[in-house]
């Protein structure tokens, strides 16, 4: 599994320097991070060589200072965030003395049907489920909680790359518990319902599950 890192900001003497487009060392731009709670919205996320990222995590690798380009930097503080899915590190340059922050998180790739891979995105899950929930009494926070559940289920598989259909399967369970109508809408598209019988079978399954959960309603 690769590691992505984002330069967030730098503070010295109470002044803040934004580094949204700074690429101080050889790497390629990977994506923009807009994950909730990471405080890195709008920062440029950089894909580093695996060996470099591993050395950086040890605190002694060539993490270049974005100001003077010196590679002699050190970690002065590390904080885990997003339920252990990422690490925020505060670094100091031993040459110019300025400080900056990096964010590390594991990149989980989704393999689409055409073979193209892309990073897993909670926002894409939310967007897809939001369409199914249109007109339903479903709060935005519930959608984001569902996306978190989906990500946790995917990560529990213990693989770096997952087929796109596995993401869809991971959505069905939490969505069924959240709103049955939205579940039927999503399942009809995802599972390709082609007749009224498909809907009837899905509804029977919902009723069976409801009866199993609450036997008093079986009658």
């Amino acid at each position: 599994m690769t590691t992505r890192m984002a330069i967030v900001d730098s503070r010295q003497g109470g002044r803040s320097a934004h580094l949204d487009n700074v690429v101080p060392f050889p790497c390629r731009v990977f994506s923009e991070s807009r994950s909730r709670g990471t405080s890195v919205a709008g920062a440029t996320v950089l894909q580093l060589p695996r060996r470099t990222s591993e050395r950086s995590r040890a605190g002694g690798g060539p993490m270049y200072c974005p100001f003077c380009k010196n590679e002699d930097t050190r970690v002065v503080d590390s904080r885990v965030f997003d339920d252990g899915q990422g690490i925020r590190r505060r670094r100091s340059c031993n040459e110019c003395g300025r400080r900056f922050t990096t964010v590390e998180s594991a990149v989980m790739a989704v393999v689409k049907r055409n073979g193209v891979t892309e990073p897993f995105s909670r926002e894409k899950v939310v967007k897809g489920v939001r369409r199914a929930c249109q007109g339903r009494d479903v709060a935005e926070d519930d959608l984001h909680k569902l996306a978190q559940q989906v990500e946790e289920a995917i990560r529990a598989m213990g693989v770096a790359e997952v087929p796109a259909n596995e993401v869809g399967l991971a959505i069905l369970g939490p969505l069924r518990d959240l709103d049955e109508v939205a579940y039927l809408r999503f399942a009809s598209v995802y599972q390709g319902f082609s007749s009224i019988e498909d809907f009837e079978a899905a509804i029977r399954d919902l009723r069976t599950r409801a009866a199993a959960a609450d036997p008093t309603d079986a009658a």
Side-chain angles (χ1 to χ4, degrees), residues 202-215:
I203 292 172
R204 283 197 300 270
D205 180 66
L206 288 174
R207 288 174 175 168
T208 301
R209 290 176 180 273
D214 189 357

Side-chain angles (χ1 to χ4, degrees), residues 193-216:
F193 288 7
S194 58
S195 67
I196 191 65
E197 285 77 15
D198 292 331
F199 283 93
E200 290 174 344
I203 292 172
R204 283 197 300 270
D205 180 66
L206 288 174
R207 288 174 175 168
T208 301
R209 290 176 180 273
D214 189 357
T216 60

Side-chain angles (χ1 to χ4, degrees), residues 124-136:
K124 286 192 174 182
V125 173
V126 171
K127 183 179 179 181
V129 175
R130 184 185 290 121
R131 287 196 295 265
C133 293
Q134 188 172 0
R136 303 295 298 167

Side-chain angles (χ1 to χ4, degrees), residues 77-200:
D77 183 58
S78 296
R79 302 286 179 87
V80 175
F81 68 95
D82 197 17
D83 297 325
Q85 299 300 328
I87 300 176
R88 183 180 292 107
R89 300 190 190 279
R90 191 67 172 163
R91 290 179 175 272
S92 175
C93 176
N94 292 328
E95 180 67 23
C96 68
R98 303 180 77 173
R99 293 190 174 189
F100 59 98
T101 300
T102 61
V103 173
E104 304 176 24
S105 60
V107 175
M108 181 172 57
V110 176
V111 183
K112 303 174 72 173
R113 292 181 180 179
N114 60 5
V116 175
T117 61
E118 61 181 28
F120 173 85
S121 169
R122 287 190 190 180
E123 289 304 318
K124 286 192 174 182
V125 173
V126 171
K127 183 179 179 181
V129 175
R130 184 185 290 121
R131 287 196 295 265
C133 293
Q134 188 172 0
R136 303 295 298 167
D137 186 19
V138 176
E140 190 70 13
D141 285 346
D142 291 332
L143 297 181
H144 287 283
K145 289 178 183 178
L146 183 147
Q148 181 177 351
Q149 289 178 286
V150 171
E151 180 174 357
E152 290 171 353
I154 296 298
R155 289 190 183 280
M157 296 179 182
V159 295
E161 295 184 348
V162 295
N165 69 299
E166 292 291 342
V167 178
L169 290 175
I171 290 174
L172 289 174
L175 183 56
R176 181 176 54 234
D177 296 335
L178 178 61
D179 188 280
E180 292 180 345
V181 173
Y183 163 78
L184 286 174
R185 290 173 177 172
F186 186 88
S188 67
V189 175
Y190 176 72
Q191 296 181 329
F193 288 7
S194 58
S195 67
I196 191 65
E197 285 77 15
D198 292 331
F199 283 93
E200 290 174 344

